[in-house]
Amino acid sequence: MAAAHIQPSGGQPFSVRPSSSPVAPPSMATIQAGRLKDALLVVAAHEDPTDIFSANVKLVNVASGATVGQLDGQHTDHISAAAGLICLVPTGTSGSAIRVLNPATGGITDIPAGPTVVAHGGWTSQASYVFAHISTTKEYKLLRVITSRGCHDDKLKQSCEILTLGGRGQRWKPAPSPLVLLSTVPRQCAVTAGFAHFLTATRTIGYDSIASFDMVKEEWRSSLLPGPLPSRSCNCCHSNLSLVELNSCLAFVHHDYLSYCIDMWVLEDMGEPKWLRIESLHFRSFLSGFEEPEKGQLAPLIPVSRRKEIFAQPMMVMDDGRIAFWVRFPNGTVRVYDPKTRKCEDAVRMGSASSIVGLYKGSQVVLS
């Protein structure tokens, strides 16, 4: 692809045409065979070890591993993608704009954000962001969750703001605060069917409870979603849990280091709710270098990595039913697993300084 430089939009009204129509939520019968031939992984590659917030944003073809689009030198500490657009959140104290990229047109829109880390009145506040596309209204929205910590008593509180891209004045407005304390770790949040789902950060209500924010009504769901784990699971640690949008379904992932398995469920019914277990993947068949403890030794609840693979994040179900995972450490690998043969292969290695941050679901790319 020939080089092309993307210029900022110069404050022009936000207007996009997603390069592909939003994918309707599949039934459980089709989760293993979702058609996402145009889906590309969005990769943040940190080439300069002295500047961890400067990243080259790349679009990588899942099947071939080829980089089909790239935008270098972006100062960001969080990247997400939704329905053909990519959102870059600035570094913690920079106070620069949130940047929204449209790879299909080459357009860039900047949104005032303010610093994501602020100290004021004895509290230190840090903002995290969720970027979502609402298929029913064709709108793009940003939800900002602000977590404030007391400087003296270490107490936590959270508040929320929301912004509709292209809305009047494009201003942040207050949104209801969450009912419980949320985890703002990126891999513990996922957006599906117009809801932003967060794992809770309060142990007393269960490790796997999920709070859901309705991005259309701009309010929190009145009740928490119970997760799929057994009520008295002794194999659970909060840091071993993830939420993933897997072909338009909400997926729950548990790295069970006592049983040496990656367990995966998808949410069948949000109203009831009902979870369907779709995979239990043994570490030895998937993670390179992972060793079970010798007989008589206790397995660690959270293993310490010594240049071995201990974590894999599912990213998408490919058109032939195979599942693409991101294994970040130590080699930054996109690994594809075939449930039919129970075998896997590496599609590409991006390097240890790279991280997969989302899926770009579009058919055209002019980034280079």
Side-chain angles (χ1 to χ4, degrees):
M1 175 179 288
H5 300 285
I6 300 177
Q7 299 298 327
S9 62
Q12 303 225 348
F14 188 92
S15 177
V16 300
R17 291 189 180 91
S19 52
S20 65
S21 299
V23 180
S27 65
M28 291 306 101
T30 62
I31 183 65
Q32 295 283 7
R35 301 289 172 176
L36 286 177
K37 294 184 177 180
D38 294 326
L40 304 171
L41 290 168
V42 183
V43 181
H46 303 278
E47 308 289 353
D48 185 354
T50 65
D51 186 359
I52 62 172
F53 293 121
S54 180
N56 299 335
V57 180
K58 302 177 181 180
L59 297 178
V60 179
N61 183 288
V62 178
S64 68
T67 298
V68 299
Q70 182 166 329
L71 188 63
D72 294 335
Q74 298 301 300
H75 285 269
T76 179
D77 60 2
H78 179 70
I79 308 175
S80 56
L85 299 183
I86 300 171
C87 180
L88 310 181
V89 176
T91 57
T93 58
S94 67
S96 57
I98 294 173
R99 175 159 286 186
V100 179
L101 312 178
N102 185 348
T105 65
I108 294 179
T109 297
D110 288 336
I111 302 168
T116 57
V117 179
V118 177
H120 179 72
W123 292 82
T124 299
S125 299
Q126 184 166 357
S128 57
Y129 294 81
V130 175
F131 183 50
H133 176 255
I134 316 302
S135 60
T136 54
T137 64
K138 313 303 181 185
E139 295 175 310
Y140 290 84
K141 292 186 178 183
L142 274 164
L143 175 66
R144 176 157 61 187
V145 179
I146 303 168
T147 303
S148 301
R149 182 185 298 271
C151 296
H152 304 294
D153 56 10
D154 212 32
K155 184 178 180 180
L156 293 176
K157 61 181 182 180
Q158 288 178 324
S159 59
C160 297
E161 296 176 327
I162 197 164
L163 178 145
T164 301
L165 277 67
R168 182 178 239 177
Q170 202 157 257
R171 297 176 181 174
W172 293 97
K173 62 181 182 180
S177 297
L179 304 177
V180 295
L181 195 65
L182 310 175
S183 170
T184 55
V185 176
R187 63 180 174 80
Q188 294 185 335
C189 171
V191 179
T192 63
F195 284 86
H197 303 282
F198 299 81
L199 279 177
T200 62
T202 307
R203 294 184 179 182
T204 55
I205 60 175
Y207 283 105
D208 60 343
S209 295
I210 300 168
S212 303
F213 184 83
D214 190 326
M215 299 293 286
V216 177
K217 296 180 180 178
E218 300 182 358
E219 63 185 24
W220 291 95
R221 192 170 180 265
S222 59
S223 59
L224 298 177
L225 283 172
L229 294 180
S231 58
R232 295 191 177 183
S233 174
C234 62
N235 296 7
C236 182
C237 180
H238 193 259
S239 62
N240 299 345
L241 307 179
S242 302
L243 296 179
V244 182
E245 183 271 321
L246 202 59
N247 289 31
S248 299
C249 293
L250 178 64
F252 186 101
V253 184
H254 177 210
H255 283 66
D256 186 344
Y257 292 105
L258 298 184
S259 299
Y260 320 114
C261 290
I262 303 174
D263 295 321
M264 298 168 54
W265 296 261
V266 292
L267 184 63
E268 271 194 303
D269 187 342
M270 188 171 174
E272 299 230 327
K274 183 179 180 182
W275 295 90
L276 174 69
R277 188 166 176 164
I278 60 170
E279 190 62 59
S280 185
L281 184 59
H282 200 282
F283 287 166
R284 284 182 302 179
S285 65
F286 191 78
L287 296 178
S288 175
F290 190 92
E291 297 178 358
E292 297 180 15
E294 296 181 4
K295 188 175 181 179
Q297 291 183 336
L298 293 176
L301 189 59
I302 306 176
V304 177
S305 175
R306 294 185 176 89
R307 305 301 299 176
K308 64 182 180 182
E309 297 174 350
I310 62 172
F311 193 88
Q313 184 81 341
M315 296 301 301
M316 64 177 291
V317 179
M318 302 175 70
D319 61 331
D320 57 3
R322 294 181 300 160
I323 306 173
F325 288 79
W326 172 242
V327 185
R328 180 173 182 178
F329 188 84
N331 298 311
T333 303
V334 177
R335 184 163 298 156
V336 179
Y337 170 75
D338 191 338
K340 297 176 183 177
T341 64
R342 311 291 293 181
K343 295 181 179 180
C344 59
E345 61 180 357
D346 290 352
V348 63
R349 289 189 175 184
M350 300 299 302
S352 59
S354 299
S355 58
I356 297 290
V357 296
L359 286 175
Y360 168 76
K361 299 175 183 176
S363 58
Q364 301 179 52
V365 177
V366 297
L367 290 177
S368 64

